[in-house]
DNA sequence: GGTAGTTCTAAACGAACGTTTGATTTGTGG
DNA sequence: CCACAAATCAAACGTTCGTTTAGAACTACC
């Protein structure tokens, strides 16, 4: 027996999640259920059976990766806030880091696939995305906005809010650009940055952007 | 006669481009040809007739808006470089502005629709997007990379390249967030920024990010 | 006023999609 | 060994999709 399925031993639901994550990242959420089940060595009907629908599979896939990341973001921000004297502001670099590191850190990283799906969904108009994003990210952004606001008390809320959007955009784009052949790169760029340098660049870039003016 | 089509008088090809731009922006490029032709008050076959295919319509739609924007970007960068003494570096704010203003400036702006399509395509995996983006943006990024490189001569190319990606990500996201109900906004944010303030914020944010370290 | 070329129209085509169905297999506790 | 539930399976369903087709309508020009 050569290799029965690509990922044998795991239960079917897990194999479907793994296969869908890889295929959605490579070719978008328009990949057919037939292709997913073929890659997972499962029956066509198994998606409906285990997740109710293709959307159900997508949501389960997202929550599997996103919940731990967002928990880590909040925990890291708590740690940084506990490390400064009461009433003092957390350095902007630390707030940005708390937001960025759990998504980029190779140590606890779900791999390059997941964030490509996030970027794809974020710019997409799938009906499932809007409600899902609100539900998952609303408490997170509220928490980070108050921290940023404490660190930049004189910045009008509308401007702070826009800068938070810029942080999200830069983060999503950085993650995607690292693993996507999309953008026109200089072809002779022989030494791409390792993930640690990318994280440093992103933190410093956005912290400087937040602090300007 | 109440209002024969939504946009009468224009030739069919233009009506198709207009309708497709609006629908693609609102609901993504998966909007059906049937819906586009219905909105343009045209026959189903008119897309194939005038543009060869749905992809042809999309590419024509993109070039109609993108070519003028990219020409304006290069012209603006030329102007800023001509305004400094020979050998001197252009301020980072001006390089960023040359990249950002033609896409955001309400004066010459194609409206909110187009940039949402760009964001959507950028994160999508449609086969048409990759080659199209390379073709359209390669000379542009080469030009801007040399300007940035002249302004930051000590920055390693890999880091400069990443920061350029962060600029693109922040720009795309800022444009999208302004006109999309996607992200979880604070609900009580009664006074959104006008486009001029958004452009200022984006320029200052990214210039500071480029300059850091 | 006919005629050639462009544009429009209604209808149909074949393919691909997500989901459902009903039977069959598998696994487990009595 | 049997019964019962969970899981898998092949097959089909109905819908929607982009594109094609053949002919009608319109335009401009000689």
């Amino acid at each position: 027996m050569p290799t029965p399925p690509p990922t044998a031993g795991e239960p079917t639901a897990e194999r479907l999640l793994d296969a869908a994550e890889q295929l959605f990242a490579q070719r978008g959420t328009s990949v057919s259920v037939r292709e997913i089940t073929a890659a997972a060595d499962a029956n066509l009907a198994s998606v409906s059976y285990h997740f109710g629908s293709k959307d159900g599979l997508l949501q389960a896939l997202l929550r599997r990766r996103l919940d731990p990341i967002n928990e880590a973001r909040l925990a890291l921000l708590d740690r940084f806030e506990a490390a400064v004297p009461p009433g003092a502001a957390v350095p902007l670099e630390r707030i940005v880091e708390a937001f960025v590191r759990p998504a980029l850190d190779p140590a606890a990283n779900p791999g390059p696939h997941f964030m490509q799906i996030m970027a794809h969904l974020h710019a997409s108009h799938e009906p499932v995305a809007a409600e899902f994003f609100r539900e998952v990210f609303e408490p997170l952004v509220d928490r980070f906005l108050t921290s940023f606001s404490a660190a930049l008390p004189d910045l009008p809320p509308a401007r702070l809010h826009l800068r938070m959007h810029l942080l999200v955009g830069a983060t999503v784009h950085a993650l995607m650009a690292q693993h996507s052949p999309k953008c026109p790169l200089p072809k002779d760029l022989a030494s791409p940055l390792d993930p640690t340098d990318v994280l440093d660049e992103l933190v410093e870039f956005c912290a400087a952007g937040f602090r300007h003016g």
Side-chain angles (χ1 to χ4, degrees), chain A:
Chain A
M1 198 181 292
T3 24
T7 47
E10 281 183 302
T12 300
E14 296 292 326
R15 295 205 314 276
L16 288 172
L17 289 172
D18 294 339
E21 181 171 288
Q22 179 158 341
L23 287 171
F24 284 164
Q26 287 172 355
R27 316 217 322 264
T29 50
S30 62
V31 169
S32 69
V33 173
R34 283 168 173 82
E35 199 163 354
I36 296 168
T37 52
D41 197 54
N43 187 268
L44 172 60
S46 57
V47 167
S48 290
Y49 178 78
H50 286 284
F51 302 99
S53 66
K54 186 186 181 182
D55 269 356
L57 169 63
L58 176 59
Q59 292 203 32
L61 183 159
L62 293 174
R63 290 188 190 281
R64 182 175 69 152
R65 303 293 192 191
L66 212 46
D67 288 346
I69 289 179
N70 284 348
E71 285 174 22
R73 283 169 158 162
L74 293 175
L76 201 53
L77 188 54
D78 285 339
R79 257 188 48 198
F80 288 145
E81 294 200 334
V84 296
V90 182
L92 282 171
E93 280 80 2
R94 298 291 76 76
I95 309 179
V96 173
E97 182 186 345
F99 184 81
V100 168
R101 179 181 287 278
L104 278 95
D105 199 355
N109 201 325
H113 294 324
F114 176 69
M115 279 298 159
Q116 286 185 254
I117 303 178
M118 289 297 298
H120 170 69
L121 275 184
H122 183 267
S124 86
H125 301 80
E126 305 195 28
V128 64
E131 46 182 316
F132 180 84
F133 273 55
R134 290 197 101 86
E135 178 189 335
V136 172
F137 284 117
E138 202 150 53
L140 192 79
V141 297
D142 283 349
R143 178 77 176 79
F144 274 84
L145 276 178
T146 63
S147 279
F148 276 123
S149 185
L152 296 165
D154 295 333
L155 193 66
R159 291 182 179 270
L160 177 62
H161 181 247
L162 174 59
R163 293 185 196 183
M164 182 96 190
H165 269 303
L166 301 184
L167 166 64
V168 172
T171 304
V172 167
H173 199 93
L175 285 162
M176 196 173 53
Q178 290 303 105
H179 304 288
S180 160
K182 177 67 66 57
C183 274
L185 316 152
K187 314 137 205 72
D188 55 358
L189 202 63
S191 65
L193 300 173
D194 62 66
T196 302
D197 288 333
V198 173
L199 194 142
D200 285 345
E201 275 288 334
L202 186 54
V203 167
E204 297 295 329
F205 186 99
C206 292
F210 264 101
R211 190 178 283 112
H212 84 77

